[in-house]
């Protein structure tokens, strides 16, 4: 057992503060990783603040992890000490169900083992703890290779926001000439814009923030529509092949469904804690539309996404934060005041004493 330095919440209202967590010694198939960076996902906010219910405290969140391998177990192949690696939203799954066999571990019929906040199925059911910590130990089957040609801090958000948007865009088969709408320009939304553009699509951003218009164009969006402007929304009718909806709060999907072409699809990615208004089946029926949800991406698909991003030079737009700025960053995320992903500089965590050696710690990045 080693002790990791961490930032954790003890209740829905405690905020995050310095803490320690136990990490197992690497077993034969495990990789130990000294974490350099961890992205802040809106799911971390939902979980830490108990918005989805069932949060098991204390909880150190974080599932957009990038770091260096410090140790590997004797059966590990493909990773060695010093490798730049990533861990996303899951650290295990049943490995035998149809979804796991298909490389769709995110849809594991027994439930995936989340990187934080869930029972560790192979380790006495202890609650998993995430990447707001100095180091982590993960089974090699759930560790990703991070391309060395990208800024590792800006890669961290790809491990959740990147794959969560890449996966449905690939599922839809987005290609050159397709017209894609992206609803909500936050962490997930800005990755959807970049990835859909890299796939060759024409991209329209729907935002509630008129101040984001210029920035959306700079990210590559071809059009920007203020979703609160009813007239502008009506003009979008029959415009899109696919829409990815990334909004973190309750909202009406029907105006977005109405902007799809025949045979179009809208995938909901955001998981608001409040119930959503019902989808009008008449809109679906009159155009043979699909309304679906999508959960992160499989391990092989996450690797494919990282390699795709390396090839196309796609990374997240980030703002670095230190550990003692996490609570403020959460408030800013809830207020929609982030362009477009906060990333924790894990070298700002207090020393744990007993943790994995960080080796050459990355130079402290300016916030
Ligand atoms: P985020 O960075 O906070 O972005 C969410 C965006 O939603 C905001 O930037 C904002 O964009 C828009 N929005 C509109 N009205 C809002 C309101 N009242 N409150 C908050 N946001 C509002 O969040 P994120 O990290 O991208 O995550 C988005 C959602 O996806 C969260 O619910 C998260 O839990 C979920 N998620 C799902 C998966 C999955 O696998 N399905 C994976 C990761 C995250 P505009 O200002 O442009 O309107
Ligand atoms: Zn996430
Ligand atoms: Zn399974």
């Amino acid at each position: 057992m080693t002790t990791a330095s961490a930032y954790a919440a003890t209740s829905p209202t405690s905020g995050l503060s310095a803490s320690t967590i136990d990490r197992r010694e690497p077993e034969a198939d495990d990789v130990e990783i000294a974490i350099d960076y961890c992205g802040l996902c809106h799911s971390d906010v939902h979980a830490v603040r108990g918005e989805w219910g069932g949060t098991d405290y204390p909880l150190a969140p974080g599932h957009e992890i990038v770091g260096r391998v410090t140790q590997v177990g004797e059966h590990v192949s493909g990773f060695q000490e010093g490798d730049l690696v990533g861990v996303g939203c899951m650290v295990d799954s049943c490995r035998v169900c149809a979804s796991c066999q298909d490389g769709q571990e995110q849809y594991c019929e027994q439930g995936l083992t989340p990187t934080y906040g869930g029972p560790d199925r192979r380790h006495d059911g202890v609650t998993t703890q995430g990447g707001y910590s100095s180091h982590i130990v993960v089974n090699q089957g759930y560790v990703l290779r991070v391309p060395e040609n990208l800024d590792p801090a800006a890669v961290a958000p790809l491990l959740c926001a990147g794959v969560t948007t890449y996966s449905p865009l690939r599922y839809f088969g987005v290609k050159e000439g397709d017209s894609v709408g992206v609803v909500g320009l936050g962490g997930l939304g800005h990755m959807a814009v970049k990835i859909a553009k890299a796939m060759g699509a024409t991209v329209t951003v729907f935002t509630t923030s008129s101040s984001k218009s210029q920035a959306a164009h700079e990210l590559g969006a071809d059009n920007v529509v203020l979703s609160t402007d009813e007239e502008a929304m009506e003009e979008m009718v029959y415009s899109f092949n696919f829409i990815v909806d990334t909004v973190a709060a309750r909202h009406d999907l029907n105006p977005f469904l109405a902007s799809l072409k025949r045979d179009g699809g809208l995938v909901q990615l955001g998981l608001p804690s409040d119930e959503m208004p019902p989808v009008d089946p008449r809109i679906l029926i009159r155009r043979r539309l699909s309304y679906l949800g999508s959960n992160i991406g499989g391990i092989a698909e996450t690797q494919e996404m990282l390699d795709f991003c390396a090839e196309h030079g796609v990374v997240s737009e980030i703002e670095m934060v230190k550990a003692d700025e996490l609570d403020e960053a959460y408030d800013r995320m809830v207020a929609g005041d982030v362009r477009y992903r906060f990333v924790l500089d894990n070298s700002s965590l207090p020393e744990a004493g007993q943790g994995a050696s960080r080796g050459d710690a990355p130079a402290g990045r300016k916030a």
Side-chain angles (χ1 to χ4, degrees), residues 93-97 100 108-110:
S93 61
C94 86
R95 306 181 199 172
V96 294
C97 75
C100 286
C108 175
E109 291 169 17
Q110 307 295 322

Side-chain angles (χ1 to χ4, degrees), residues 161-235:
V163 72
T164 300
T165 49
Y166 179 86
S167 182
L169 292 168
R170 282 276 283 146
Y171 181 76
F172 284 142
V174 169
K175 56 186 185 315
E176 194 88 37
D178 283 341
S179 184
V180 170
V182 175
V183 187
L185 196 60
L188 265 58
H190 94 291
M191 288 313 310
V193 171
K194 289 189 173 207
I195 292 169
K197 283 305 291 181
M199 289 175 172
T202 301
V203 177
T204 295
V205 166
F206 293 97
T207 179
T208 57
S209 314
S210 54
S211 62
K212 289 183 185 171
S213 174
Q214 165 90 18
H217 284 294
E218 283 164 14
L219 287 170
D222 301 279
N223 308 300
V224 181
V225 175
L226 196 58
S227 52
T228 49
D229 179 343
E230 272 179 40
E231 247 173 64
M233 286 300 288
E234 273 164 28
E235 279 173 27

Side-chain angles (χ1 to χ4, degrees), residues 27 38 65 104 139 149 204 223 263 313 334 351 366:
E27 295 169 4
C38 185
I65 295 169
Q104 305 279 332
N139 179 280
N149 66 324
T204 295
N223 308 300
D263 294 332
V334 171
E351 290 292 319
K366 304 246 171 349

Side-chain angles (χ1 to χ4, degrees), residues 41-43 46 52 160 164 184-188 207-209 212 246-249 269-271 294-296 333 341:
C41 179
H42 207 114
S43 299
H46 293 310
W52 288 333
C160 174
T164 300
L185 196 60
L188 265 58
T207 179
T208 57
S209 314
K212 289 183 185 171
T246 72
V247 175
L269 299 175
L271 270 170
S294 183
N295 190 26
I296 51 173
M333 218 189 308
R341 200 56 141 187

